[in-house]
Amino acid sequence: MLTLEKKEKMIRLYLKGLSYTDIAKEIGMTRQTVSKYIKQYEKDQQELELATTAEEKEQIIIRSSAKPKYDSSKRQRIKLTPDVESMIDSCLEENKQKIQQGKRKLIMKNTDIYEWLISKNIDISYRSVCAYVSKQAQRSKEAFIRQVYEPGQVAEFDWGDVTLYIEELGAERRFKIGVFDLKYSDKRFAYLYSHENTEAFLDIHTRFFEEIKGVPTEIVYDNARVQVKHLAGREKQPTEVVKKLMNYYGYIPRYTNPYSGHEKGHVERSVELIRRKAYSKSHHFKTIADAVTALLEATHRENQKIKQRTNQSAETVFAQEQKNLLPYRLPLDTYLTSTYKVNKYSFIHVDSNFYSVPDYLVGKEVTVRKNINQIKVYFDDRFLFKANRLIGRHQYHIDIHHYLATLKKKPGAIAHSLALKQATPWLQNIFQTYYNTNPRDFIYLLTIIEQNSLETVQFAIESLKRQGLPIQNHHIINYLLNLNPSQFNTKDLIEAPIEQACYHQLSEISSMYSQGENSWIN
C-alpha cells in the first residue's frame, strides 16, 4: 500500500531528476504507480498556474496535500518501554525543578517513582526502576562542540514574545513572533501572530519556504508542545503537524535538549535582535497589519546589512546558498478541519470565541476549516459563510442575517439582541429612528438587505430622506425596482433560504402599497 511518506518521497526524488524506474526501485513500488502519481503532481502544477480564483487554488492545494490512508504497525511489547522511560524521566525532571526551587525535601525517591508507576498499571519491577535511574544519574557532563554547516543544510526556528498596543483592539496585547534563521547565510525571516498554535506553526513554515523558494535539509526546533511529543520516549517524536510538514516538503526535524537554548543559539539571538529592531522605538500601532509591516521591514533591513565577518550581507550570501536548498513545492494547505455542534443560541465555540451560524442549524454539527486569518463554515459539504478569526477570548462574531427565521417568530427580541448591537452603527440608527415601534417591519428590511446588499439599501434610504419620503419598506422596494429591476427580483425572494414566508410578506406589502398603507398582519 502506498503510504504518505512514500508518496512525498516519490515527488522529492522526481524533483531531483530521478527517472520513474529509479524512483520505483528506491521506494519499492511499481513503475506504473510512480508514473500515476508523478503525472498527477504535474497536472496539479499546471492547474495551479492556470487557476484564476483563490477558491480554485485552494482546492488544488488541498488535493495536492491529500493524506492517503495507511495501516499503522503495532509495537513490540517489553517491560521498560520508551513510554515508561519517558514517565521516569518526567519524574526526574520534576525533581530537578524542585531542587532549583529550594524544595529538595519534596523530591521523589526511587521507591516513590516505582509506586507511582504501579498506580498507573505499569508492569515493571523495582530493580528495573533503580537501574534506569542510576544510569540516568551517571551521564557525563555536557561538552560544547563548534558546528560548521554547508549551504542549505540547516535552519533554526523559534518563537518570541512581544507586547504591543493596537488601536483597533483598544488595548495592549501580547503577540508571538516566529523567526527562522538559515545557519549558513544568516538570512532571517519573521512574522507576527496572535497565538503560538498549530495554525501559526503551519503558516510561518509555508511563508518561509515561499520566501526562500526552497527548503533547508534540516530544521532545528526546541521542545514546544506544537513541535514535539514530550511523552514519547527518550528519542523526541514529532507532532502530527511536524510530520505533515516534513513529509510534504522533505526536510528532517531535529530537536534540542530540554532547557538547552544554546543548542539553537543562532535563532535565539535572532529573535531578540528582530524584536528589538522592529519594536524598540515604537510599540504602538493602528492595526495588526501595521505591526506586521514593521516586523517585515526590520527583518529586511537586517538581511541587507553588511556583516563584518564576511564583508557581505545575508542576502548576498543567501543568493549563493539558495541553489543548495531542496526543491520548492506547491504551498501546503494550511487549513485545519474540525466539526462543531451549534448551541441553542446558534453559536459555534471555536478556540474560546463564538461565531453565529444560520439559526436553522441549532443542535446540528457543522464543519469548520480554519487558518490564522479566517474560518470557513460548511454544512453537508455545502459552503455557508466565512468570517475573520477573532483575537482574544470570549469574543463574539454575529451576523444578524443568521437570525432572520427566529426573529420573524419573535420580532420583539430584536431591540435588545446582541445581534443588533453588533450590527453596523448605521443599521442600529435606522432601527432606533424608524422601526423601534414596529420591529416586524425591520425584520423584513433585513431580508431586503440580504437580497440587495447593505450598501444598496443604504443608498435607497438616504435618497428617500433627501426626497422627503417616509422611510417605509414599500417605498424602499419601489425605489430599488426603479433603480435596477434586474437586481431586485421577486423570484429571488421566493427561492431565498429565509423561508417561503418571504413571498407571502412581499405580496402583503405590494397590496398595502397599492392601498397607501403599511401595516402587518399576524
Side-chain angles (χ1 to χ4, degrees), residues 47-61 376 386:
E47 291 182 0
L48 186 65
E49 293 175 356
L50 297 175
T52 57
T53 65
E55 288 75 13
E56 291 177 352
K57 293 181 180 180
E58 178 184 353
Q59 291 302 320
I60 295 170
I61 292 173
K376 296 182 178 181
K386 62 182 178 181

Side-chain angles (χ1 to χ4, degrees), residues 426 430 445 457-465 471 476:
W426 178 85
I430 289 296
L445 175 67
V457 175
Q458 185 175 0
F459 178 79
I461 291 178
E462 296 303 323
S463 298
L464 291 175
K465 288 181 181 179
I471 306 303
I476 297 173

Side-chain angles (χ1 to χ4, degrees), residues 378-515:
Y378 300 80
F379 178 68
D380 282 347
D381 297 326
R382 180 170 60 89
F383 175 75
L384 298 178
F385 68 93
K386 62 182 178 181
N388 293 332
R389 288 284 295 269
L390 295 171
I391 295 178
R393 296 170 59 87
H394 310 304
Q395 304 295 314
Y396 288 83
H397 178 281
I398 300 176
D399 185 346
I400 195 169
H401 294 92
H402 289 164
Y403 297 90
L404 285 179
T406 300
L407 290 173
K408 287 176 183 177
K409 300 175 184 178
K410 306 174 182 179
I414 186 66
H416 302 288
S417 68
L418 184 59
L420 180 61
K421 295 184 184 303
Q422 286 210 352
T424 64
W426 178 85
L427 193 59
Q428 295 182 47
N429 181 62
I430 289 296
F431 173 78
Q432 297 296 341
T433 305
Y434 303 105
Y435 293 92
N436 192 24
T437 59
N438 200 343
R440 194 180 295 271
D441 276 9
F442 183 73
I443 305 305
Y444 185 67
L445 175 67
L446 295 178
T447 67
I448 300 173
I449 292 174
E450 188 174 44
Q451 295 295 321
N452 294 270
S453 83
L454 179 63
E455 292 77 12
T456 303
V457 175
Q458 185 175 0
F459 178 79
I461 291 178
E462 296 303 323
S463 298
L464 291 175
K465 288 181 181 179
R466 290 193 295 270
Q467 297 175 27
L469 294 174
I471 306 303
Q472 297 175 347
N473 288 342
H474 66 277
H475 285 304
I476 297 173
I477 294 173
N478 187 54
Y479 184 88
L480 294 173
L481 289 170
N482 292 330
L483 178 66
N484 192 345
S486 64
Q487 290 186 358
F488 191 81
N489 194 332
T490 55
K491 185 174 181 294
D492 291 337
L493 287 176
I494 299 173
E495 297 176 352
I498 316 169
E499 301 181 334
Q500 295 291 331
C502 291
Y503 177 64
H504 171 71
Q505 293 175 344
L506 181 60
S507 300
E508 288 289 335
I509 285 187
S510 299
S511 63
M512 288 183 284
Y513 171 65
S514 62
Q515 300 172 11

Side-chain angles (χ1 to χ4, degrees), residues 217-236:
T217 303
E218 181 178 270
I219 297 181
V220 181
Y221 300 110
D222 59 15
N223 295 275
R225 184 178 300 176
V226 73
Q227 297 150 194
V228 63
K229 294 180 181 178
H230 286 281
L231 297 179
R234 287 174 294 178
E235 293 296 328
K236 306 283 195 312

Side-chain angles (χ1 to χ4, degrees), residues 275-286:
R275 175 173 52 205
R276 179 162 44 84
K277 295 297 184 181
Y279 302 122
S280 61
K281 292 183 179 179
S282 176
H283 66 281
H284 189 125
F285 299 92
K286 288 185 177 181

Side-chain angles (χ1 to χ4, degrees), residues 195-377:
H195 296 89
E196 180 186 333
N197 55 19
T198 302
E199 297 96 307
F201 188 77
L202 281 169
D203 184 78
I204 193 168
H205 278 72
T206 56
R207 288 180 186 272
F208 174 58
F209 297 147
E210 185 173 0
E211 168 74 13
I212 65 176
K213 298 302 179 185
V215 180
T217 303
E218 181 178 270
I219 297 181
V220 181
Y221 300 110
D222 59 15
N223 295 275
R225 184 178 300 176
V226 73
Q227 297 150 194
V228 63
K229 294 180 181 178
H230 286 281
L231 297 179
R234 287 174 294 178
E235 293 296 328
K236 306 283 195 312
Q237 296 296 320
T239 57
E240 293 304 316
V241 64
V242 174
K243 288 181 180 179
K244 182 177 181 179
L245 286 164
M246 61 182 280
N247 289 331
Y248 189 81
Y249 288 108
Y251 71 86
I252 301 171
R254 177 163 63 85
Y255 297 99
T256 63
N257 293 310
Y259 308 103
S260 302
H262 58 273
E263 294 183 7
K264 56 176 182 58
H266 213 65
V267 75
E268 295 273 356
R269 291 189 294 273
S270 292
V271 170
E272 186 275 332
L273 175 68
I274 295 299
R275 175 173 52 205
R276 179 162 44 84
K277 295 297 184 181
Y279 302 122
S280 61
K281 292 183 179 179
S282 176
H283 66 281
H284 189 125
F285 299 92
K286 288 185 177 181
T287 65
I288 296 176
D290 292 338
V292 172
T293 300
L295 181 63
L296 295 177
E297 290 176 349
T299 306
H300 177 72
R301 289 194 299 269
E302 289 304 309
N303 286 332
Q304 296 293 333
K305 283 185 177 180
I306 303 297
K307 308 283 186 180
Q308 291 183 354
R309 178 172 56 88
T310 62
N311 200 30
Q312 292 178 306
S313 68
E315 287 289 359
T316 302
V317 180
F318 172 71
Q320 306 165 13
E321 179 182 28
Q322 190 172 24
K323 62 179 180 292
N324 297 100
L325 297 172
L326 298 176
Y328 176 61
R329 292 194 58 179
L330 298 173
L332 178 69
D333 175 32
T334 58
Y335 278 87
L336 300 180
T337 302
S338 304
T339 58
Y340 296 89
K341 188 172 183 179
V342 183
N343 67 16
K344 65 180 181 180
Y345 298 107
S346 198
F347 288 140
I348 52 176
H349 191 216
V350 181
D351 296 333
S352 302
N353 291 310
F354 296 88
Y355 300 82
S356 70
V357 299
D359 50 10
Y360 65 86
L361 295 174
V362 169
K364 300 178 181 179
E365 286 191 344
V366 297
T367 301
V368 174
R369 280 173 46 79
K370 58 182 181 177
N371 66 5
I372 63 166
N373 295 317
Q374 63 181 8
I375 67 168
K376 296 182 178 181
V377 182

